Amino acid sequence: MKNVFVLIFSVFITTILIPVLLIQRCSVIEPKIEKQQIVESNKVVHVYMHETGEIKTLDLEEYIKGVVAGEMPAAFEMEALKAQAVAARSYAVSRMRAYGKNGHPSHPGAELCDSVHCQVWLSKERLRELKSKNWMKNYWPKIEKAVEETKGLIMTYDNKPVDQPLFHSTSGGRTENSEDVFAAWVPYLRSVESPYEQEAPHLTDQQDISIATFVSKIKKKYPDCNINASNIKSSLKILERSDGGRILKMQVGNKILTGREIRELLGLRSANFKVAIYGEKMRFTTNGYGHGVGMSQWGANGMAKKGYTFDEILKHYYVGVEISKMK
């Protein structure tokens, strides 16, 4: 009787319990996708073309392919491209929900446009003009794969599609809180570490400008600023930096300016900078490239090289989000 019991128990272990455990283990490596289908979409977008003034009606997934091609180097790792695809789709869906067929006030009839005002979108025809034949042969299929393997996936927060899936080139080691750059507090746009950006071409940069040019630019925008070439060394002082290192407040003469204002005025790569004066010149040393909020693209590529999946990348840079399936 004992042998019969052992035999029955062995059959149970090998035919039922072990397969169940294996299935459970295998499921762990898959991206966590929310079962609830969050948003319904007709999966067609209307895109305003700035150069021609026309409005194109595009399949959503085809539109996302053009955005990934326009916004991220195709030589990046597949998981980084997938992360970019989901971020781009999330933005597109948020615009579709917000503006519908009436379109955005800046381009009536189209929820989106093809420039940086929305997301850069490039058609295949335009890519053939800009890229080599080898690029179309080697990289376009890679972009198609990244989009197709994330088809219908968007980021959600509190069961609602995120409406500000911001991204930038390089954070410089840490991203920014949204309110430190754009004034509005957004729960998923929190400052996080971005440690894998070593290969970014503009992780650090330098830009020299003459003191005369700096004073001229400041005085042109702020005529009542009392800065001049003779008092410039005593007139510049960094007062406050953000968690990510970007300048929040900087004294310039009798004015208190933000690093973002200085960056835009001088065309610097980042508002995270140091300034030194050498004779008649000023040297701005910047850290990072872009506004610094949301996903660092070079950081995402670095994470992908370390073995992180696209959903892990997104959940790192967008705090508290889930990856959800569209209807």
Side-chain angles (χ1 to χ4, degrees):
M1 189 69 180
K2 183 178 179 181
N3 291 337
V4 172
F5 174 77
V6 170
L7 179 61
I8 293 173
F9 183 74
S10 299
V11 170
F12 171 77
I13 291 294
T14 57
T15 61
I16 297 177
L17 185 57
I18 291 177
V20 168
L21 291 174
L22 287 174
I23 290 170
Q24 289 178 341
R25 284 193 64 191
C26 290
S27 66
V28 172
I29 67 173
E30 295 295 327
K32 182 182 177 183
I33 308 300
E34 292 295 286
K35 293 181 179 179
Q36 182 183 3
Q37 293 179 318
I38 297 297
V39 61
E40 185 174 358
S41 170
N42 60 10
K43 299 180 182 176
V44 171
V45 295
H46 305 91
V47 185
Y48 175 75
M49 306 287 121
H50 279 277
E51 187 173 333
T52 64
E54 68 175 314
I55 294 175
K56 287 191 175 185
T57 300
L58 301 170
D59 173 81
L60 174 60
E61 299 303 322
E62 290 304 310
Y63 165 75
I64 299 304
K65 293 173 186 177
V67 172
V68 175
E71 291 282 9
M72 178 174 274
F76 273 15
E77 298 291 313
M78 178 59 69
E79 294 302 308
L81 293 171
K82 288 181 181 180
Q84 183 70 63
V86 176
R89 189 181 296 106
S90 301
Y91 179 79
V93 168
S94 73
R95 299 287 286 222
M96 293 160 71
R97 284 167 54 84
Y99 301 109
K101 59 185 177 183
N102 292 326
H104 189 276
S106 299
H107 32 74
E111 315 94 307
L112 297 153
C113 69
D114 63 346
S115 78
V116 292
H117 297 292
C118 296
Q119 300 182 121
V120 174
W121 176 82
L122 297 174
S123 66
K124 289 180 72 173
E125 292 73 24
R126 183 63 175 150
L127 286 167
R128 290 190 183 98
E129 294 174 3
L130 296 173
K131 309 290 186 179
S132 66
K133 289 183 178 179
N134 285 336
W135 190 96
M136 292 301 298
K137 178 181 177 182
N138 296 329
Y139 291 121
W140 180 252
K142 186 178 177 183
I143 290 171
E144 287 186 310
K145 182 179 180 182
V147 174
E148 289 165 1
E149 291 188 359
T150 61
K151 183 176 181 180
L153 298 183
I154 60 172
M155 287 186 289
T156 58
Y157 184 87
D158 196 19
N159 289 325
K160 297 176 183 178
V162 302
D163 57 1
Q164 296 187 59
L166 302 182
F167 52 86
H168 57 281
S169 172
T170 312
S171 77
R174 188 174 185 89
T175 67
E176 298 288 350
N177 292 314
S178 59
E179 67 273 18
D180 289 335
V181 179
F182 299 114
W185 181 88
V186 180
Y188 48 83
L189 296 178
R190 302 293 86 209
S191 177
V192 298
E193 295 290 340
S194 185
Y196 304 120
E197 299 181 339
Q198 293 85 350
E199 295 182 6
H202 300 295
L203 183 59
T204 59
D205 219 335
Q206 289 184 341
Q207 181 173 325
D208 290 345
I209 184 173
S210 70
I211 292 175
T213 299
F214 177 81
V215 170
S216 175
K217 286 179 178 289
I218 291 291
K219 299 283 282 186
K220 184 176 181 179
K221 187 166 184 180
Y222 309 100
D224 59 338
C225 185
N226 64 2
I227 195 169
N228 55 60
S230 61
N231 71 4
I232 191 166
K233 286 188 177 181
S234 61
S235 297
L236 300 178
K237 186 178 181 180
I238 295 172
L239 302 176
E240 185 180 356
R241 288 184 181 270
S242 67
D243 290 345
R246 284 161 175 76
I247 294 173
L248 297 178
K249 294 179 182 179
M250 180 175 180
Q251 183 175 333
V252 181
N254 60 331
K255 292 287 186 183
I256 303 297
L257 305 180
T258 66
R260 183 182 177 187
E261 289 173 313
I262 299 294
R263 178 199 173 201
E264 292 174 352
L265 192 65
L266 303 181
L268 303 177
R269 296 195 184 278
S270 169
N272 183 348
F273 60 80
K274 296 178 181 178
V275 59
I277 297 175
Y278 302 93
E280 300 299 316
K281 289 187 175 295
M282 303 174 70
R283 172 165 293 174
F284 290 84
T285 302
T286 55
N287 189 30
Y289 187 10
H291 52 66
V293 181
M295 183 176 70
S296 162
Q297 293 171 314
W298 279 93
N301 195 51
M303 287 185 71
K305 286 188 173 184
K306 292 290 184 179
Y308 290 90
T309 59
F310 76 89
D311 56 310
E312 291 173 326
I313 293 169
L314 292 170
K315 290 179 181 180
H316 172 74
Y317 283 110
Y318 304 98
V319 178
V321 303
E322 297 293 345
I323 310 302
S324 303
K325 184 76 171 178
M326 294 168 56
K327 287 185 180 178

